[in-house]
Amino acid sequence: MPDFIERGDGKPHVIYPRTSAAQMRNGITVLTSGDGMRVTDDTGKEYLDFVSGWTRPVHVGYRRAEIAQAVHDQIMQLHYYTPMQYGNPRAIELAQVLAELTPTGITQFLFVSSGSEALESALKLARHYHYYRGERWRFKVISRRGAFHGVTGGALRVLGSVLPVRHLSEPLAPGGVFAESPYCYRCPLHLSYPACDLACARDVERLIQFEDPAQIGVFVGETIQQGFGAVAPPPEYWPIIRQLCDRYGILLVVDEVICGFGRTGKWFGVEHFDLAPDMLLMAKGISSGYMPMGALGATEAVMAPVDNFANLQTYMNHPVACAAALANIEILKRERLIDNARVMGDYFLDGLKLLTCYEAVGEVRGIGLWAVLDLTTDRSTRALFPADRLERMVQRAKEKGLIIKFMHCALEFAPSLVVTRGDIDLALRIIDECLAEDARAH
Amino acid sequence: MPDQTDAKYATEPYLRHIMLDFRQMTEFVKEPFLVARADGIRFWDVHGKEYLDGLAGIFAVNVGYGNPRVLEAVRKQLETLPFNPPMHGTNPRAVELATLLAEIAPGDLSTARLVDSGSEANEATFKLVRQYHRQTGNPGKYKILSRYLSYHGATGNAMSAGGVGYRKTLYEPTSVGFFHTYPPYCYRCPYEKTYPDCQVFCARTLRTTIEWEDPRSIAALIVEPISNTGGIVTPPMEYLKVLRQLCDEYNILLVFDEIITGFGRTGSLFAANTFDVVPDILCCGKGMSSGYAPLAAALIREPIAQAFWGAPGREFAHGHTYAGNPVSCAAGLASIREIVERRLPENARRVGAYLVQKLEALRPLGIIGDIRGKGLMIGIELVEDPATKKPFAPEVKLGLRIGKQALANGLLIRYDPHWIAFGPPLIVTTEDIDQMVAILEQSIREVLRKL
């Protein structure tokens, strides 16, 4: 066991992403096993995981024998062949399953290895679509300040959160344009819903005009945005964006890397908004992290003009990843985990709402099993909440055996879809304690 | 009378050989407009028709046409020294001009980088600000922040900084590192707010833009104090002060594009004076030489210029064959002295106020939404319903029709589909304004009758 300790006293050979030198010196928690909702570190300490693996993929929980079996079987049958001009049964099956599950119109699928790759493929497919239709100058992409769509080249260009990640890599390829986010609690336009009449959405039209409608290929957005802490827009938001995209021939790419596969209490987030995207980005919950996996879904209309999608990566349509995804989706269906996400989500949100007794809790919001406490130092001005206090609370929760995280000013929770009332009660008690400690200290 | 033989050049066989600024030649050859001669605030076309110049050419001829002092200076300079080797040194007129500029420019804008056009002034500035930051320990500062509806010139980076229409979008993608924010267009606030309740939100919200783009990556913010191309977009008095504070806070250089507003246009020598804000770099041109010779400059604050002194390699790596040429500088010296000694900024303020008053009287025509600007840079936004600000349908293009009708009636003004503007030579009198506004009124009535 001690062999695995990355305590900062030795010289680790692993590169840890987005982990500072100071964090390295404090030591890295080395996790050695997981089961259901819980993970265990190398000292034997057990944690209730309320962020589904932190980046939130683990929808079906840890240690699922049936996914392991499906992966094993597929490796023994055929573990790899090129996705170019060759097919495999698992990819074909998975595409059929997804065609049933995904929102109206999304019927064509490409399987990749991450959400970033799904985004890259979507941006490229959009270029192909416009190119074959004789509109090759549609190179600009409208994203939103606060957006997260991955960390590769094209994704960086539309990255509107965790900004140092973008800033470090600049200058980037041209064409990234940013609109404001529908983050109502701290409206970037200093307006109030509903009096604002959705200025943030309507303003996208002005942006399109300024940037030249003929040069804009894509509007990309997360159905529910992670950057400011699980922000669901008002119901009118997406219909306005959809209308603008239609009016100007812009493809609407919806990023459901987090929302997809039940996180919000429905199979896909767009079902809450009756939104029909042109492309759908998936990852995380598609395989619950058992295999690295992402996917791009597109409508027939998007694929129709494309003669040859010139975008090949070695591990596209990977048979083993597709087998893992099929087994994962089978569990989500059989155990009715999407229903559980809705029921447990409501129960959890009710519990979180009781925490508004703490002065620091500015807003409680959530949808399904994705919830946040948006914190503030001043409820009247909704002033930002200091990161060091958020970090402290997250740290204290971890010491108490609960893993949570924070985004912007919000404490965030996204447990696996197998979560029980008992898990939620325990988590609420620890969150309550952390808020109380913070309140006492300030 | 002009030489009538010039009239032949206003015919298609000759016009086939030329490509003009922003003009569709197919249309131009049907109604060619060739100016042959000018004097004071008037010019004559090749057919001898007389026009009042309500636009100083294009906000350029501030001292008016045929100014004897400028003419004499240029003639004398041509005889003495028409050109000097620019890579090896300079000439006395260039240094004299730079010294004069240091004397009259606001604050410590005491070093001039002379160039030939406004585009070149802004272009030089974008290079200069990046180098400045590199040489003062901030090599990561390369982004240029500007505004939609702005115009900063026709060349690569200047065009990238610009923020409007086909002058730019035809040539995209533009340079990397240029990004845009919304202008202080109060009549139709991009943020749907109302001044003064807004507390200049458009300026304050720049803080967010700066933070989100990473202040360590931003070299400069460039603004026209009053921008022409967007329709004489005129900010509230405190707007530029807020920008100044933000730029100071984040070590971002504040650049004023005063190519139009400089040299008396807004009622002070510079708009920087009018709004009482000193930029880090002030780009000027047009009125500087009143158009008698191509001339422009970037005026640089002393501490910034200082960063270019020292070891070889720290100098500004930039040059143009005709930059600081003696003839242009002689024209500039004479033009500026005329503007200063004849107190033309004061005249611009006085006559400009009179112009606004005369234009206000046209409101009963029912198409004037907004009258805005400063000094002798005054725009009118045209609307179908002034009460609701409802614009005319795009195909109406009322501004274009009025502008063309005014030209036919002997008055040159700036015109766009939904706005028109005056920017006459700064020597105009109230009587000249009476005449100009009378022609405008007649032209509007004629256009409205045909509508």
Side-chain angles (χ1 to χ4, degrees):
Chain A
M1 209 167 14
D3 287 352
F4 298 124
I5 295 173
E6 297 270 39
R7 294 276 178 247
D9 42 359
K11 287 196 171 72
H13 295 291
V14 174
I15 296 172
Y16 293 95
R18 279 177 68 190
T19 305
S20 69
Q23 284 166 323
M24 288 300 299
R25 277 192 298 277
N26 291 338
I28 298 293
T29 303
V30 179
L31 295 176
T32 51
S33 66
D35 192 4
M37 282 286 299
R38 285 162 174 79
V39 288
T40 305
D41 75 12
D42 58 349
T43 68
K45 182 176 166 70
E46 193 180 78
Y47 304 88
L48 178 60
D49 177 11
F50 247 58
V51 282
S52 301
W54 211 86
T55 52
R56 323 169 196 85
V58 190
H59 284 204
V60 298
Y62 299 92
R63 202 159 172 262
R64 287 286 190 167
E66 109 183 56
I67 302 179
Q69 189 62 50
V71 167
H72 169 89
D73 292 349
Q74 188 55 43
I75 290 174
M76 294 313 289
Q77 207 161 9
L78 174 73
H79 85 283
Y80 177 76
Y81 211 77
T82 181
M84 177 178 64
Q85 294 154 31
Y86 286 86
N88 72 75
R90 294 297 88 73
I92 295 166
E93 266 175 48
L94 181 56
Q96 277 165 355
V97 168
L98 289 184
E100 290 295 313
L101 285 180
T102 51
T104 327
I106 302 289
T107 56
Q108 321 280 300
F109 299 91
L110 172 71
F111 303 106
V112 291
S113 307
S114 68
S116 293
E117 287 181 16
L119 181 277
E120 296 289 343
S121 290
L123 295 187
K124 279 185 172 172
L125 182 56
R127 292 302 295 267
H128 281 67
Y129 169 84
H130 294 302
Y131 173 89
Y132 281 109
R133 287 163 47 95
E135 296 191 298
R136 64 175 301 163
W137 289 111
R138 288 186 179 266
F139 73 99
K140 292 185 184 176
V141 183
I142 300 180
S143 177
R144 301 176 300 172
R145 291 177 170 174
F148 186 88
H149 299 292
V151 294
T152 48
L156 281 176
R157 200 171 61 140
V158 294
L159 184 62
S161 62
V162 285
L163 292 166
V165 175
R166 167 153 69 91
H167 296 153
L168 269 168
S169 295
E170 292 184 337
L172 303 166
V177 179
F178 290 89
E180 297 292 359
S181 287
Y183 174 32
C184 297
Y185 182 63
R186 293 187 176 92
C187 174
L189 299 171
H190 293 201
L191 298 170
S192 301
Y193 177 79
C196 63
D197 196 20
L198 278 296
C200 58
R202 288 182 293 111
D203 186 60
V204 170
E205 183 157 27
R206 185 180 353 235
L207 200 59
I208 290 169
Q209 292 294 353
F210 274 127
E211 294 291 343
D212 183 6
Q215 296 184 56
I216 301 169
V218 168
F219 181 102
V220 62
E222 300 145 275
T223 319
I224 294 161
Q225 197 183 57
Q226 81 163 302
F228 298 113
V231 171
E236 306 91 317
Y237 180 85
W238 282 116
I240 295 173
I241 300 295
R242 175 73 268 184
Q243 213 176 18
L244 289 174
C245 288
D246 289 342
R247 188 175 305 158
Y248 294 102
I250 296 166
L251 292 178
L252 176 56
V253 176
V254 164
D255 183 335
E256 293 244 354
V257 168
I258 295 173
C259 290
F261 299 95
R263 168 61 59 206
T264 68
K266 292 186 187 282
W267 275 100
F268 290 92
V270 292
E271 294 168 42
H272 294 285
F273 299 93
D274 193 23
L275 169 67
D278 298 307
M279 284 190 242
L280 184 77
L281 308 181
M282 295 159 274
K284 302 195 193 282
I286 193 175
S287 65
S288 284
Y290 281 81
M291 288 293 289
M293 181 130 197
L296 164 65
T299 60
E300 275 174 43
V302 168
M303 289 308 297
V306 179
D307 175 60
N308 185 340
F309 186 35
N311 180 34
L312 168 72
Q313 287 177 288
T314 302
Y315 299 126
M316 280 171 172
N317 298 345
H318 195 279
V320 181
C322 289
L326 281 164
N328 172 65
I329 292 169
E330 187 50 39
I331 293 169
L332 287 171
K333 283 182 177 171
R334 195 183 59 236
E335 299 184 5
R336 307 181 65 85
L337 293 181
I338 280 70
D339 290 340
N340 193 57
R342 192 169 56 248
V343 174
M344 288 302 122
D346 289 345
Y347 179 72
F348 185 35
L349 197 63
D350 284 345
L352 287 172
K353 279 177 182 159
L354 298 176
L355 300 175
T356 48
C357 59
Y358 293 102
E359 205 43 38
V361 177
E363 183 175 74
V364 181
R365 57 176 180 264
I367 185 162
L369 282 172
W370 198 10
V372 303
L373 299 174
D374 207 336
L375 305 185
T376 178
T377 52
D378 181 346
R379 279 185 178 177
S380 63
T381 62
R382 303 180 176 185
L384 298 179
F385 197 82
D388 58 331
R389 281 168 70 183
L390 287 156
E391 232 171 271
R392 176 80 190 140
M393 281 188 265
V394 168
Q395 183 56 36
R396 285 294 294 149
K398 189 174 169 189
E399 286 162 17
K400 293 167 191 281
L402 175 73
I403 302 182
I404 58 174
K405 65 192 289 186
F406 73 94
M407 292 300 297
H408 192 55
C409 296
L411 288 176
E412 190 200 315
F413 322 100
S416 293
L417 276 51
V418 297
V419 73
T420 63
R421 281 194 163 77
D423 297 329
I424 289 172
D425 292 341
L426 175 59
L428 282 168
R429 204 182 70 225
I430 295 175
I431 297 163
D432 191 337
E433 284 172 21
C434 293
L435 284 165
E437 286 175 14
D438 175 77
R440 272 199 297 280
H442 295 95
Chain B
M1 287 298 286
D3 181 358
Q4 287 294 336
T5 60
D6 275 348
K8 72 180 184 204
Y9 293 117
T11 58
E12 182 164 350
Y14 287 96
L15 292 171
R16 278 273 158 199
H17 299 295
I18 196 165
M19 198 181 263
L20 297 176
D21 298 9
F22 306 112
R23 298 301 307 199
Q24 174 45 256
M25 294 307 291
T26 309
E27 287 171 16
F28 187 79
V29 293
K30 291 180 202 151
E31 290 175 50
F33 177 57
L34 271 69
V35 176
R37 187 173 72 81
D39 189 38
I41 62 155
R42 289 174 172 75
F43 56 79
W44 290 263
D45 69 16
V46 287
H47 308 294
K49 180 177 170 179
E50 184 179 307
Y51 298 82
L52 278 169
D53 187 351
L55 192 58
I58 179 70
F59 302 102
V61 190
N62 286 13
V63 301
Y65 301 94
N67 181 293
R69 183 176 188 172
V70 185
L71 291 176
E72 178 56 20
V74 170
R75 190 192 57 75
K76 202 172 128 201
Q77 190 57 47
L78 278 167
E79 286 169 4
T80 318
L81 177 78
F83 184 75
N84 66 280
M87 282 193 73
H88 298 74
T90 184
N91 64 78
R93 293 296 77 71
V95 183
E96 187 183 355
L97 175 59
T99 308
L100 175 62
L101 288 167
E103 205 177 291
I104 62 168
D108 56 350
L109 288 161
S110 55
T111 298
R113 167 65 231 197
L114 299 171
V115 288
D116 311 314
S117 72
S119 296
E120 284 182 13
N122 289 335
E123 202 73 43
T125 294
F126 298 138
K127 291 167 74 172
L128 193 140
V129 295
R130 288 176 177 179
Q131 188 178 347
Y132 165 76
H133 286 300
R134 272 182 197 228
Q135 290 178 183
T136 52
N138 295 294
K141 282 180 169 280
Y142 71 96
K143 289 183 193 166
I144 309 291
L145 174 57
S146 62
R147 303 176 310 185
Y148 289 119
L149 291 183
S150 68
Y151 182 74
H152 297 296
T155 52
N157 283 336
M159 180 188 72
S160 304
V164 67
Y166 78 120
R167 290 180 176 194
K168 168 183 181 178
T169 52
L170 278 172
Y171 313 104
E172 299 208 24
T174 56
S175 308
V176 172
F178 286 78
F179 62 106
H180 299 82
T181 177
Y182 285 135
Y185 179 17
C186 294
Y187 185 65
R188 299 186 193 279
C189 173
Y191 297 102
E192 301 178 6
K193 297 185 188 296
T194 310
Y195 181 79
D197 289 347
C198 64
Q199 296 176 289
V200 284
F201 181 76
C202 56
R204 288 184 296 119
T205 194
L206 269 173
R207 178 184 297 281
T208 318
T209 306
I210 291 166
E211 291 279 359
W212 284 75
E213 284 295 339
D214 186 4
R216 291 163 302 180
S217 72
I218 305 174
L221 163 63
I222 182 166
V223 297
E224 300 153 289
I226 298 175
S227 76
N228 161 47
T229 308
I232 317 298
V233 175
T234 311
M237 283 306 287
E238 60 271 47
Y239 174 84
L240 293 171
K241 291 198 165 85
V242 177
L243 300 193
R244 178 71 272 178
Q245 275 166 10
L246 284 171
C247 285
D248 285 343
E249 196 175 323
Y250 291 107
N251 186 23
I252 294 167
L253 297 186
L254 178 61
V255 181
F256 281 0
D257 176 338
E258 290 228 33
I259 288 143
I260 287 176
T261 54
F263 298 100
R265 175 62 54 199
T266 66
S268 311
L269 203 47
F270 295 97
N273 305 115
T274 302
F275 290 98
D276 191 26
V277 173
V278 181
D280 296 301
I281 294 177
L282 189 156
C283 294
C284 51
K286 295 196 192 282
M288 190 178 179
S289 64
S290 286
Y292 283 75
L295 180 64
L299 309 183
I300 305 154
R301 283 190 56 222
E302 203 280 327
I304 295 161
Q306 192 56 44
F308 292 82
W309 287 72
R314 290 180 72 85
E315 66 277 8
F316 187 37
H318 187 84
H320 293 286
T321 301
Y322 301 114
N325 79 80
V327 179
S328 291
C329 292
L333 281 162
S335 165
I336 294 169
R337 284 178 177 139
E338 281 285 280
I339 290 166
V340 173
E341 289 169 22
R342 292 173 60 188
R343 297 169 167 271
L344 294 184
E346 215 169 280
N347 192 59
R349 196 159 59 237
R350 191 176 56 81
V351 180
Y354 182 75
L355 171 62
V356 169
Q357 196 185 318
K358 294 286 290 181
L359 295 175
E360 288 287 351
L362 299 185
R363 284 199 190 257
L365 289 169
I367 53 157
I368 295 182
D370 194 25
I371 299 170
R372 53 184 179 250
K374 300 263 183 216
L376 280 171
M377 183 179 183
I378 302 296
I380 300 172
E381 180 156 343
L382 304 163
V383 293
E384 190 177 322
D385 182 359
T388 62
K389 302 185 180 183
K390 185 189 174 203
F392 282 99
E395 64 275 11
V396 176
K397 296 186 170 63
L398 189 68
L400 253 56
R401 293 194 195 191
I402 292 172
K404 285 179 180 170
Q405 190 63 38
L407 196 63
N409 291 339
L411 170 69
L412 180 81
I413 53 171
R414 175 79 165 84
Y415 56 85
D416 233 56
H418 69 284
W419 59 274
I420 52 176
F422 279 93
L426 307 187
I427 57 168
V428 284
T429 63
T430 51
E431 291 74 34
D432 297 330
I433 293 296
D434 286 339
Q435 247 183 303
M436 289 181 185
V437 176
I439 297 177
L440 176 68
E441 182 175 355
Q442 181 204 336
S443 306
I444 293 175
R445 288 186 190 281
E446 285 166 3
V447 168
L448 290 180
R449 263 202 299 281
K450 280 183 258 173
L451 214 61

